Amino acid sequence: MKYTKLPNTNIEVSKICLGTMTWGKQNTEAEGHEQMDYALDRGVNFFDTAELYPVPAHPDRQSHTEKIIGTWFKKTGNREKVILGTKIAGKAPFTAFIRETGFSKGSIVSAVENSLKRLQTDYIDLYQLHWPERNTNYFGQRAYKHDVNDPWEDNFREVLETLTNLVQQGKIRNIGISNETPWGTMRFLEEVRKDSSLAKPITVQNPYSLLNRQFETGMSEVSAHENIGLLAYSPLGFGVLSGKYLGGKQPENARITLFPNYNRYIKESAVKATEKYNALALANGLSLAQMSLAYVNTRSFLTSNIIGATSITQLKENIESINVSLSDEVLHGIEEIHEQIPNPAP
């Protein structure tokens, strides 16, 4: 395994992060425990979850993923071996059953307390805002469209004050943001510049893959100048970049087969790009999945690459991507395809 540090800290994390959003829906508690055992044994010390998980969100399964991690901590005593990230859900129709969602002081405090109980821990290493409260472009929305009827009012400082207080209490160690834009990221940093006593967001968890490199436009510059690391999610585009959907296949129990509304990575242009990337991988003796993950691992703005798997076989291949080196020929081929079909998935 290779390691880096969470920006602005001395906390060492694996460059492969174990994603968990299928546990409690596609994966049982026993399978989640098996994945954590396997990942930790292979040097993965960074796990990421959320109060919303598993997805798709459903009242009957809300926060089951955190509960699975909590029972594993209790069973194994491995809490101190893991750097743990979780997230508070933002406002959305599909989160109304969680509580009064949003980032008011009461909501944040309640969310943290509930996550701590489910996770059976006294602290969270990285606490993240899952998506912005304001209406902006995230979750497959390519372009920003201003909504004059958005009731949101600027509350960046209030959010940071609440999170800072929780840091001071020792309940969370660091804070991060997710599905954020350059404007939103810089607004948080503006408040920190005004008042250095406020906790600074140190990571941003956004999508990044061969099919979606939009982080490179705007956010990568913010990352470089402000030392905010990317936690790349969906590095395989909901499994599309494993190649298992090529040729119109619909594997049983696969994510897009089960949940066809998660279709942003299988639209025509994305399929064409995936076919080209698959041909490039095969021509160079690589699997498409490992080439795709290895490419994400090379990015200078990356702190950690969040992989997810529903089987140990998939997990093994994904973790081993950390040891895959891409030749100049492969890297050049990737850029050629990207020039032909840039960012086919929003």
Side-chain angles (χ1 to χ4, degrees):
M1 184 49 58
K2 296 177 182 177
Y3 298 88
T4 185
K5 289 183 178 179
L6 290 178
N8 310 302
T9 78
N10 289 317
I11 300 173
E12 191 173 73
V13 294
S14 50
K15 290 198 76 172
I16 297 292
C17 175
L18 181 62
T20 63
M21 71 178 184
T22 61
W23 302 353
K25 179 69 173 177
Q26 290 175 262
N27 288 104
T28 64
E29 179 182 52
E31 288 169 339
H33 285 194
E34 182 185 21
Q35 287 196 27
M36 287 183 279
D37 288 338
Y38 184 92
L40 190 63
D41 187 56
R42 279 146 187 82
V44 176
N45 74 337
F46 192 15
F47 297 176
D48 179 74
T49 191
E51 67 170 353
L52 183 70
Y53 295 166
V55 291
H58 192 276
D60 292 343
R61 295 182 179 274
Q62 189 248 315
S63 299
H64 276 212
T65 306
E66 286 189 331
K67 293 174 184 176
I68 288 171
I69 295 172
T71 57
W72 182 78
F73 282 153
K74 183 177 182 180
K75 180 180 74 173
T76 64
N78 282 336
R79 175 65 185 95
E80 298 303 316
K81 296 179 181 180
V82 172
I83 306 303
L84 178 66
T86 193
K87 315 178 198 73
I88 177 175
K91 289 184 177 180
F94 56 86
T95 63
F97 58 82
I98 295 179
R99 61 169 186 282
E100 184 183 349
T101 49
F103 304 148
S104 68
K105 179 179 179 180
S107 290
I108 293 173
V109 171
S110 174
V112 169
E113 295 289 355
N114 289 334
S115 285
L116 288 171
K117 290 176 184 176
R118 289 187 293 261
L119 291 163
Q120 302 194 47
T121 183
D122 296 326
Y123 67 97
I124 296 162
D125 296 287
L126 180 66
Y127 196 67
Q128 303 155 94
L129 308 177
H130 206 153
W131 62 88
E133 284 185 292
R134 68 191 188 279
N135 292 332
T136 187
N137 50 314
Y138 54 81
F139 293 152
Q141 301 175 59
R142 188 182 295 277
Y144 172 70
K145 295 179 181 178
H146 188 60
D147 181 0
V148 295
N149 297 313
D150 186 356
W152 173 81
E153 295 182 3
D154 190 315
N155 62 343
F156 286 95
R157 181 176 178 85
E158 291 84 350
V159 170
L160 288 176
E161 286 176 340
T162 303
L163 292 170
T164 299
N165 186 253
L166 289 162
V167 171
Q168 292 168 346
Q169 293 177 43
K171 293 179 179 179
I172 59 179
R173 297 176 72 188
N174 299 280
I175 66 171
I177 51 183
S178 306
N179 296 292
E180 213 15 302
T181 66
W183 183 82
T185 304
M186 292 306 298
R187 277 294 290 113
F188 279 114
L189 298 177
E190 180 183 14
E191 296 302 329
V192 175
R193 285 195 173 95
K194 290 177 184 175
D195 184 352
S196 61
S197 70
L198 294 172
K200 175 189 175 183
I202 61 171
T203 56
V204 56
Q205 186 173 150
N206 278 16
Y208 187 83
S209 70
L210 290 177
L211 299 178
N212 181 343
R213 291 169 54 179
Q214 293 181 96
F215 189 87
E216 296 172 10
T217 305
M219 280 302 298
S220 61
E221 183 178 15
V222 173
S223 174
H225 288 297
E226 305 295 339
N227 195 25
I228 293 182
L230 172 65
L231 304 182
Y233 80 79
S234 288
L236 290 180
F238 295 162
V240 169
L241 287 168
S242 70
K244 62 186 175 185
Y245 300 104
L246 287 175
K249 294 176 183 175
Q250 292 187 312
E252 186 178 0
N253 296 323
R255 186 159 195 78
I256 296 174
T257 304
L258 292 173
F259 314 115
N261 57 312
Y262 290 153
N263 63 0
R264 76 185 82 151
Y265 294 101
I266 57 168
K267 294 180 179 178
E268 184 178 359
S269 57
V271 171
K272 288 181 179 178
T274 301
E275 290 171 346
K276 289 179 178 290
Y277 287 124
N278 186 53
L280 176 65
L282 294 177
N284 287 273
L286 299 166
S287 75
L288 175 58
Q290 287 202 330
M291 184 185 80
S292 300
L293 293 172
Y295 181 77
V296 175
N297 295 340
T298 67
R299 302 297 84 191
S300 61
F301 43 74
L302 182 79
T303 292
S304 196
N305 187 358
I306 305 174
I307 55 130
T310 53
S311 72
I312 290 295
T313 300
Q314 292 172 345
L315 185 61
K316 181 177 185 293
E317 181 180 24
N318 292 352
I319 291 175
E320 288 180 354
S321 71
I322 197 66
N323 298 313
V324 175
S325 296
L326 301 181
S327 67
D328 290 342
E329 180 182 358
V330 170
L331 292 170
H332 179 72
I334 287 172
E335 294 307 318
E336 282 190 332
I337 296 169
H338 182 62
E339 285 294 321
Q340 295 168 23
I341 314 176
N343 297 318

